[in-house]
Amino acid sequence: IPALATERRLAQRLRERLEEEQLLDGRYQLQQVPGGRVALPVLEEKLSQLCLLPPEMPCELVRIQDPVPSRASRRRAPAQKLQDELRRLLGGSWSEELERDVPHAWQRHGDLVLLSEDSFRAAPWESLGPALWETVALALGVRRVARRGRVLPDGMRTPSVTLLLGQDGWVEHVDNGIRYTFDVTKCMFSPGNITEKLRVASLPCSGEVLVDLYAGIGYFTLPFLVHAGAAFVHACEWNVHAVEALRRALALNGVQDRCRVHHGDSRQLQLRDTADRVNLGLIPSSEEGWPVACRVLKKDTGGVLHIHHNVETPPAPSPVLPAEWGSPEAQHPMEDTGKETVGARIRPEWQKWAEATATRIQGLLVELHGQLWHTRVLHIEAVKSYAPHVHHLVLDLECRPALP
């Protein structure tokens, strides 16, 4: 079908018609082909039915040697292979209960897969011993296998992870061209923050000094350094395992000379009058870090705070505000979390929280410096929903001292 903008409506109608007639092959995705066209994957056994399409929907048959698998197909293939190998391993002991216990998704970090905590919990699996984990590794094409437990309530979100196959939990994960490294048994990796990491990487930070109050393994410290061009970052982190991971990642990415790691409670940070920008990437709330953020901002010029917070949104439908109302740059990515879809408009509750936060920060700055400061909402970013009606937001807040 044509890929030209003027003919996209016809192309969309053709796709909808093929879907309606159940002619599309879900194993493959749409592909660009020479001549400015796009190929739709049609089931081979349904090719004869193409002649039934209306004459205003002309199409041409193109055979593609190596069609690109769809995302769903790529996910299904390893899961099916894992199930097939386990069936062989168990033989006549296979049951529907065991089938439900086999994971269909997992996190992969290099040659290690991290299984969910509810995987392989039925009693028969235990009798297989190491053979079970060797089979899982073989089926998924890895050398190491680990399984998550519940996050420990120690204030550091330390994972409870068991290494089931292999001796070392250190892995490397590449995200947006940045190399992160961490021990899966000591630190967590949150792939759900990718939209915010990409946004941070695109911010104009050339020549700026930045303070990251909750650095972790470098989720935001590294994008600020590697892609956003920050001149220097002060990274604060109190978890010793995350500090080790961060220092390794700084060296891996060749930016260790532009970062100082402050190991300890960020509330006790001694820096003052230093930062052009402060990142407060802690949820459900970064409020305890607000006084520190105000202290480290440059007192003569101020700067920008990136404030993370989980905001509750009532379930009752309410009118949304235009994105430009009170926030000229506010645009939100579409993310379907399976619980709630974050739309592309500012919700009244989000704007209310942003304005209240701006007022609170302004008060802290006035109290700290003894002079008037102005705060302005630059942007409200919806990262994702954590639970029904609870959204992880980031407020970009500009803070400037009033001119004499």
Side-chain angles (χ1 to χ4, degrees):
I1 59 176
L4 298 175
T6 55
E7 303 184 23
R8 282 178 183 166
R9 185 174 298 177
L10 176 61
Q12 181 60 31
R13 285 180 56 205
L14 176 56
R15 181 178 181 178
E16 290 171 355
R17 183 61 180 267
L18 291 172
E19 288 176 339
E20 182 183 326
E21 299 292 338
Q22 298 184 333
L23 301 181
L24 288 183
D25 189 340
R27 295 173 300 172
Y28 305 104
Q29 60 180 261
L30 278 68
Q31 264 182 264
Q32 292 274 358
V33 293
R37 298 173 299 164
V38 174
L40 288 167
V42 178
L43 290 164
E44 191 169 358
E45 63 271 21
K46 300 289 185 74
L47 288 176
S48 60
Q49 298 183 32
L50 290 177
C51 62
L52 302 178
L53 293 173
E56 69 270 17
M57 292 185 177
C59 57
E60 175 188 350
L61 185 62
V62 177
R63 293 194 178 274
I64 297 177
Q65 187 71 26
D66 297 304
V68 179
S70 65
R71 287 186 179 181
S73 178
R74 291 198 299 270
R75 285 195 297 266
R76 279 196 301 269
Q80 187 59 56
K81 183 176 181 181
L82 174 60
Q83 196 169 112
D84 292 344
E85 292 296 331
L86 292 170
R87 278 177 181 271
R88 275 202 257 338
L89 180 65
L90 284 164
S93 302
W94 187 257
S95 66
E96 287 186 8
E97 179 191 3
L98 293 178
E99 185 171 336
R100 287 193 297 270
D101 219 25
V102 176
H104 297 281
W106 44 81
Q107 282 188 19
R108 181 168 183 143
H109 303 291
D111 69 345
L112 182 147
V113 291
L114 182 58
L115 306 173
S116 61
E117 62 181 287
D118 56 352
S119 303
F120 301 110
R121 291 298 186 183
W125 297 119
E126 297 177 6
S127 64
L128 296 175
L132 170 61
W133 311 122
E134 290 168 1
T135 301
V136 171
L138 180 65
L140 300 183
V142 295
R143 295 182 178 181
R144 295 177 291 166
V145 179
R147 181 171 56 197
R148 273 199 305 261
R150 295 189 179 277
V151 176
L152 300 178
D154 58 359
M156 300 185 187
R157 291 186 59 77
T158 302
S160 175
V161 172
T162 304
L163 198 60
L164 304 166
L165 182 67
Q167 303 299 319
D168 181 6
W170 279 94
V171 299
E172 186 175 313
H173 188 99
V174 180
D175 212 8
N176 189 28
I178 296 172
R179 298 167 68 186
Y180 297 87
T181 184
F182 57 99
D183 185 339
V184 295
T185 67
K186 307 292 185 184
C187 301
M188 293 182 65
F189 185 85
S190 178
N193 290 337
I194 182 60
T195 57
E196 181 61 8
K197 284 184 281 188
L198 290 171
R199 190 179 78 92
V200 160
S202 68
L203 292 175
C205 301
S206 179
E208 293 186 349
V209 175
L210 187 133
V211 173
D212 190 353
L213 286 180
Y214 310 101
I217 66 171
Y219 289 124
F220 302 114
T221 294
L222 290 167
F224 274 121
L225 287 167
V226 175
H227 292 310
F232 197 88
V233 174
H234 292 275
C236 310
E237 177 55 43
W238 67 357
N239 184 328
V240 63
H241 304 296
V243 166
E244 182 181 1
L246 174 57
R247 285 184 169 136
R248 289 193 185 196
L250 289 167
L252 276 175
N253 291 278
V255 292
Q256 66 271 29
D257 294 338
R258 291 192 285 128
C259 183
R260 178 184 173 189
V261 179
H262 299 262
H263 180 202
D265 189 337
S266 61
R267 291 170 294 189
Q268 308 303 320
L269 185 65
Q270 296 303 306
L271 289 178
R272 286 177 176 269
D273 187 23
T274 301
D276 300 291
R277 196 179 293 265
V278 183
N279 193 63
L280 298 107
L282 182 67
I283 51 174
S285 174
S286 61
E287 191 167 349
E288 286 192 355
W290 295 358
V292 183
C294 291
R295 287 201 303 270
V296 300
L297 274 181
K298 290 182 176 177
K299 64 180 181 181
D300 293 331
T301 55
V304 176
L305 307 183
H306 301 286
I307 303 171
H308 292 237
H309 196 81
N310 279 0
V311 177
E312 292 191 26
T313 307
S318 56
V320 294
L321 302 173
E324 58 272 13
W325 190 85
S327 182
E329 300 174 10
Q331 293 294 327
H332 306 294
M334 295 296 289
E335 178 176 341
D336 188 357
T337 63
K339 298 173 183 175
E340 196 170 348
T341 301
V342 176
R345 288 178 178 267
I346 300 295
R347 303 190 183 192
E349 296 77 18
W350 302 355
Q351 187 70 37
K352 183 178 179 181
W353 164 76
E355 297 294 349
T357 299
T359 301
R360 285 279 310 281
I361 296 291
Q362 182 183 34
L364 289 171
L365 288 164
V366 170
E367 182 181 348
L368 175 66
H369 296 290
Q371 70 174 87
L372 180 62
W373 278 63
H374 299 296
T375 56
R376 183 167 70 99
V377 174
L378 296 177
H379 181 79
I380 302 171
E381 181 76 13
V383 180
K384 61 184 175 184
S385 60
Y386 261 90
H389 320 303
V390 177
H391 292 94
H392 174 184
L393 304 182
V394 181
L395 165 63
D396 294 352
L397 185 68
E398 184 181 42
C399 308
R400 305 290 181 193
L403 295 175

